[in-house]
Amino acid sequence: MPDLFPPYTALPTRKKWRWPDDKGLAAWIVINIEHFEFGTLGTAIQPHLTSLPEIANYGWRDYGNRVGIWRLFDLFDHYPNVKVTAALNAEICQLYPPIVAAALARGWEIMAHGLNNSRGHAGLDEAAERELIGKTLGVIRESTGQLPQGWLTPGFSITPRTFDLLHAAGVRYLADWVNDDQPYLLPISAGEMVAVPYTMEANDITLCLGARYSGPEFSQAVLDQFDQLLADSLGDSHSRVFALGLHPFIVGQPLRLRYLAEVLQHISTTNGIWFATGNEIATHFAQVQKSW
C-alpha cells in the first residue's frame, strides 16, 4: 500500500503546460447535493442545538433539497458557459429523483459523493468499505446511466484503502485533496489517479458558516481568490485551477443568492477562462502527462 501522503513537487520546478486554447485558468464549480440521515447530527448553522431528534439544523439542511437547489438551477441557467460538477450523495437518486433529473437535463457532471453525508469511511474494514463504495457507485449508475468518473468522500473521512478501492471500482479522479492549484498524479497500489484541486477556502461552508461572512464579504472573498489565481496563470506562468465549493442549503438561501450571482457574472465575463467539469480537467491533465 503506498503512502497516503502525495509526493511533493514545488510548483516552480514543474513543467509548464496550458489548458485548451492556451488558457491559463480552469474554473471548476462544485455544487454539493447532499442527504443527511434524520436523527443524526450534521453540518449546523446553530451548533448548540444537539438534542436528538434535532429538527432545526436538519430542517435547515433539508431546505437545500426542497428549495435551495432549485434556486441554484435557475441562477446557473443564466450562465450557460459556466459548467457545473454536482458532488452527489447516492441517496439523492433514491430520495430526490427530480433533482437528479434536473441536473442531468442541464448537462451537469455527476461526481460521486458517498452514499449520504452522515456516513464517512473512517473506521470501516476493507470489506465494508468496498461494499459501501460499490453501493454508492451502483445507485448513481442505475439512476444516471453512467459510472461516475470522480469522487469526493463525505467529510473527507477516508481509510488507508479508500483510494485503492475507488480505483478498483472504476473511479479515475479524486477531489479529496486541497493542497495544490494544479492537478497531479496520485500514486496508488495499482497505478495512479488524478487529484483535481478542490478547495476549503473558496467554499461556502468555510466562508459563510466558519467565518460568518456576510453576503458581500462572501462575494468579495471568492472574487479575490479568482482574481489572484487568474493573475498567477497569465503569460508564461503555470496553469491553475479555480475551484468553488457550494451547498444548496447555504448559498441557495435567499439572503446569499445575489452575491453568488455577482461572482458568476464576474467570472463568466472574464476572458481567458476554461470552464470545465472535474472529469474534463482530469482528462486534459492526463493527456498533458502522456505528452511529456
Side-chain angles (χ1 to χ4, degrees), residues 27-55:
W28 184 35
I29 313 301
V30 180
I31 297 182
N32 295 265
I33 306 177
E34 299 168 338
H35 169 67
F36 294 80
E37 294 177 335
F38 184 70
T40 62
L41 299 179
T43 307
I45 192 169
Q46 295 283 358
H48 65 279
L49 299 173
T50 58
S51 60
L52 296 176
E54 198 280 284
I55 64 170

Side-chain angles (χ1 to χ4, degrees), residues 33 86-94 100 104 109-116 132-152 171:
I33 306 177
L88 189 76
N89 288 160
E91 286 185 352
I92 294 290
C93 300
Q94 300 168 322
V100 180
L104 293 175
E109 182 194 353
I110 302 300
M111 175 174 65
H113 189 27
L115 189 64
N116 60 49
L132 181 58
I133 289 171
K135 182 177 181 179
T136 298
L137 296 175
V139 168
I140 295 176
R141 185 172 192 171
E142 181 179 358
S143 177
T144 67
Q146 307 170 46
L147 177 70
Q149 295 298 290
W151 178 280
L152 173 62
V171 175

Side-chain angles (χ1 to χ4, degrees), residues 115-132:
L115 189 64
N116 60 49
N117 239 54
S118 299
R119 299 189 204 180
H121 289 223
L124 295 177
D125 61 33
E126 183 171 349
E129 186 173 21
R130 182 182 292 108
E131 181 180 2
L132 181 58

